[in-house]
């Protein structure tokens, strides 16, 4: 494996394997807790090509451990059904033939119960493997497990994104959960806090994960390198719903000069009048949340906007989106705290005053940057099929930073590079502004 996974102890013993087993079991239980409020009918729905049915998610993360740990390193392991290797392979072309992504919702069999039996089967085999691991393969097993656990965390976030999109198609606007942490109700008497700007001097920055400092990172974060960053200013918080509403009311979606050519073509083709999930009722904007349809909180960060919308707003506001190097320059000195899935809002919430410091850098919304998703200097893919994890997507995508309200707090870091196509809106994505100048 690459240096991204060299952080595991070089000579792990069985005690360490048992610690990894406990972490594995906690994470697997968290995935099932996300699915607990679902009805069986919900598990099957695929509301668009980018959304996967919940049943597929919980099977795919199970397949990952089976394909990359159990089959290579547990000689007596017997798969529950050989066909699952085809059905639940996401995109690993060097491993086998993946089932087409856009057709995942057509697979009614195996059933939901079958998929949970599959999870239990693999979990039992993983427990047996980690309780009595083969000594000669243990370092590699733990390196792959170190990737597999964050992989499942990514799918936990994707589950919440996809469940939201699935339920939002229903005109009844059913709530995924009705017991979320309070905080979604708007506060109309409050004024939208004014936007502040923080100045940063020009200089050479160290960007990317430093393998020498330890800790897990994906391969796309590796290749720590120096980068000169010109003086810039960064907004002290993300753009709010209220500010984005002003853009809408000023004809933002009808004024082509704000938009990139591809963005304007997308707006016209899709007929976008507002962020995803927004709907006007009796002159008041509402939006669908995992707690149901609620009035838009004007003070909370705007969410479910594409890169195209974020860039158009920045043009309208006389600013721009930050580069990912600028974002990391600011983020590396900000505490890793915020509104994550652990807070159980499952929705961006208004922040307190920033008091001259960057606020909401982590959590609430993934923040679009103006940077294309490309490899860092010295980037090396993982060997074998796991090399397809990140590197093959380094084209036609834009980088987002900071995590969101559906991200696990222990999954994020300042160097984390998320990426989506510029037209994507179903992620918990927002943005903050930047501009040239500064110290």
């Amino acid at each position: 494996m690459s240096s991204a996974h060299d952080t595991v102890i070089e000579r792990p013993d069985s005690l360490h394997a048992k610690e990894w087993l406990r972490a594995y079991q906690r994470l697997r239980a968290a995935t099932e807790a996300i699915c607990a409020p679902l009805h069986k009918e919900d598990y099957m729905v695929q509301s668009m090509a980018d959304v996967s049915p919940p049943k597929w998610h919980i099977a795919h993360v199970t397949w990952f451990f089976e394909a990359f740990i159990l089959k290579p390193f547990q000689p007596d392991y017997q798969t529950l059904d050989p066909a699952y290797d085809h059905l639940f392979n996401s995109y690993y072309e060097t491993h086998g033939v993946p089932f087409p992504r856009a057709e995942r919702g057509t697979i009614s069999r195996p059933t939901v119960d079958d998929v949970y039996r599959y999870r239990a089967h693999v979990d039992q085999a993983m427990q047996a493997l980690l309780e009595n691991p083969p000594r000669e393969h243990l370092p590699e097993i733990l390196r792959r497990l170190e990737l597999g656990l964050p992989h499942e965390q990514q799918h936990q976030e994707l589950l919440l994104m996809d469940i939201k999109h699935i339920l939002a198609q229903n005109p009844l606007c059913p709530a995924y959960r009705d017991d979320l942490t309070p905080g979604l109700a708007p506060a109309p008497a409050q004024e939208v806090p004014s936007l502040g700007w923080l100045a940063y001097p020009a200089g050479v920055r160290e960007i990317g994960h430093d393998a020498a400092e330890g800790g897990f990172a994906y391969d796309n974060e590796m290749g720590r390198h120096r980068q000169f960053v010109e003086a810039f200013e960064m907004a002290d918080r993300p753009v709010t719903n209220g500010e984005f509403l002003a853009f809408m009311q000023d004809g933002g979606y009808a004024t082509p000069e704000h938009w990139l050519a591809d963005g304007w073509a997308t707006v016209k083709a899709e007929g976008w009048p507002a962020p995803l999930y927004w709907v006007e009722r009796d002159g008041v904007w509402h939006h669908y949340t995992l707690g149901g349809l609620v009035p838009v909180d004007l003070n909370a960060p705007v969410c479910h906007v594409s890169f195209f919308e974020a860039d158009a707003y920045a043009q309208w506001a006389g600013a721009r989106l930050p580069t990912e190097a600028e974002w990391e320059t600011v983020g590396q000195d900000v505490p890793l705290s915020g509104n994550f899935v652990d807070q159980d809002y499952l929705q961006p919430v208004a922040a307190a005053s920033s008091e001259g410091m960057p606020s909401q850098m982590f959590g609430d919304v993934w923040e679009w940057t103006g940077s294309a998703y490309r490899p860092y200097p010295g980037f090396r893919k993982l060997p074998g099929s796991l090399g397809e994890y990140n590197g093959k997507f380094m084209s036609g995508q834009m980088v987002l930073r900071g995590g969101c309200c559906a991200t696990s707090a222990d999954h994020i870091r300042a160097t984390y590079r998320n990426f989506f196509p510029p037209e994507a809106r179903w992620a918990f994505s927002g943005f903050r502004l930047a501009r040239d100048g500064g110290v």
Side-chain angles (χ1 to χ4, degrees):
M1 307 290 279
S2 79
S3 58
H5 303 283
D6 289 341
T7 57
V8 178
I9 299 171
E10 291 185 5
R11 294 182 178 84
D13 56 25
S14 59
L15 174 62
H16 298 125
K18 290 177 182 177
E19 291 171 349
W20 280 103
L21 173 60
R22 286 192 288 272
Y24 171 89
Q25 291 171 331
R26 286 194 300 270
L27 195 72
R28 299 284 280 174
T31 301
E32 297 187 14
I34 289 172
C35 294
L38 299 178
H39 297 283
K40 282 190 176 178
E41 291 82 356
D42 299 324
Y43 279 89
M44 180 66 188
V45 181
Q46 183 172 23
S47 51
M48 67 172 176
D50 287 334
V51 163
S52 295
K55 182 177 74 172
W56 184 90
H57 280 291
I58 61 174
H60 166 71
V61 291
T62 301
W63 167 88
F64 189 95
F65 293 112
E66 179 182 65
F68 296 123
I69 296 179
L70 290 174
K71 286 183 177 180
F73 301 116
Q74 183 73 301
D76 60 349
Y77 175 74
Q78 296 293 319
T79 186
L80 199 61
D81 189 329
Y84 291 176
D85 194 57
H86 170 53
L87 291 178
F88 303 129
N89 177 359
S90 56
Y91 51 73
Y92 294 89
E93 302 281 355
T94 58
H95 173 85
V97 180
F99 187 81
R101 179 179 183 179
E103 298 175 18
R104 290 169 183 169
T106 66
I107 303 302
S108 60
R109 311 286 178 88
T111 65
V112 174
D113 291 339
D114 291 335
V115 165
Y116 274 106
R117 277 191 287 271
Y118 177 44
R119 281 182 69 88
H121 175 79
V122 167
D123 287 348
Q124 184 178 15
M126 286 291 294
Q127 179 174 341
L129 177 66
L130 293 174
E131 286 180 340
N132 186 27
R135 302 287 300 176
E136 68 275 20
H137 296 307
L138 185 55
E140 183 63 18
I141 290 171
L142 296 190
R143 288 187 180 99
R144 295 187 180 202
L145 186 60
E146 188 182 30
L147 177 62
L149 297 185
H151 169 257
E152 183 143 348
Q153 284 184 311
Q154 287 182 314
H155 278 270
Q156 290 168 357
E157 182 175 321
L158 284 166
L159 266 167
L160 290 168
M161 288 165 48
D162 291 0
I163 289 168
K164 184 172 184 177
H165 194 271
I166 288 166
L167 295 179
Q169 309 313 305
N170 189 327
L172 301 180
C173 298
Y176 158 68
R177 282 177 46 200
D178 57 11
D179 62 342
L180 295 174
T181 301
L184 298 181
Q190 297 179 6
E191 293 184 1
V192 176
S194 59
L195 187 69
W197 292 91
L198 304 171
Y200 297 87
V204 176
R205 315 294 184 190
E206 294 283 338
I207 302 298
H209 179 74
D210 187 352
E213 293 184 0
F216 172 78
Y218 289 111
D219 57 359
N220 65 357
E221 302 169 58
M222 303 302 291
R224 188 165 175 85
H225 59 285
R226 292 173 296 173
Q227 185 169 340
F228 183 81
V229 177
E230 296 285 358
F232 68 98
E233 293 182 332
M234 183 88 84
D236 62 355
R237 56 161 175 76
V239 169
T240 65
N241 288 314
E243 290 164 336
F244 200 86
L245 180 57
F247 165 73
M248 293 163 53
Q249 292 171 336
D250 195 41
Y253 280 95
T255 308
E257 55 262 35
H258 301 322
W259 296 81
L260 295 169
D262 287 347
W264 183 243
T266 303
V267 167
K268 291 191 296 181
E270 300 296 330
W272 291 346
L276 183 64
Y277 303 130
W278 282 39
V279 59
E280 196 171 15
R281 297 282 176 89
D282 299 323
V284 177
W285 282 101
H286 292 64
H287 59 167
Y288 180 77
T289 74
L290 286 166
L293 191 70
V294 299
V296 170
D297 181 353
L298 299 181
N299 292 344
V302 67
C303 190
H304 297 297
V305 291
S306 66
F307 168 81
F308 291 141
E309 290 161 291
D311 184 79
Y313 179 95
Q315 292 292 319
W316 172 80
R320 59 176 173 82
L321 299 179
T323 67
E324 64 170 324
E326 290 171 340
W327 198 100
E328 190 170 321
T329 294
V330 178
Q332 63 190 356
D333 294 325
V334 174
L336 274 169
S337 62
N339 172 21
F340 294 109
V341 71
D342 315 65
Q343 278 62 53
D344 207 35
Y345 292 108
L346 302 188
Q347 181 72 13
V349 297
S353 171
S354 64
E355 298 181 352
M357 295 291 291
S359 68
Q360 297 177 293
M361 292 288 290
F362 298 101
D364 282 298
V365 291
W366 284 104
E367 297 185 8
W368 288 105
T369 72
S371 296
Y373 178 52
R374 294 293 295 147
Y376 284 162
F379 170 76
R380 296 290 183 272
K381 294 191 298 183
L382 303 179
S385 294
L386 290 176
E388 297 188 59
Y389 196 97
N390 282 313
K392 67 190 289 182
F393 299 109
M394 290 179 171
S395 174
Q397 317 258 5
M398 302 302 291
V399 173
L400 303 90
R401 293 298 195 106
C404 72
C405 57
T407 308
S408 297
D410 62 356
H411 184 68
I412 202 65
R413 53 201 161 269
T415 59
Y416 195 115
R417 307 176 75 200
N418 201 357
F419 53 93
F420 282 104
E423 71 277 7
R425 306 209 296 172
W426 94 109
F428 289 89
S429 52
F431 61 100
R432 75 178 61 219
L433 300 176
R435 61 190 183 189
D436 299 334
V439 179

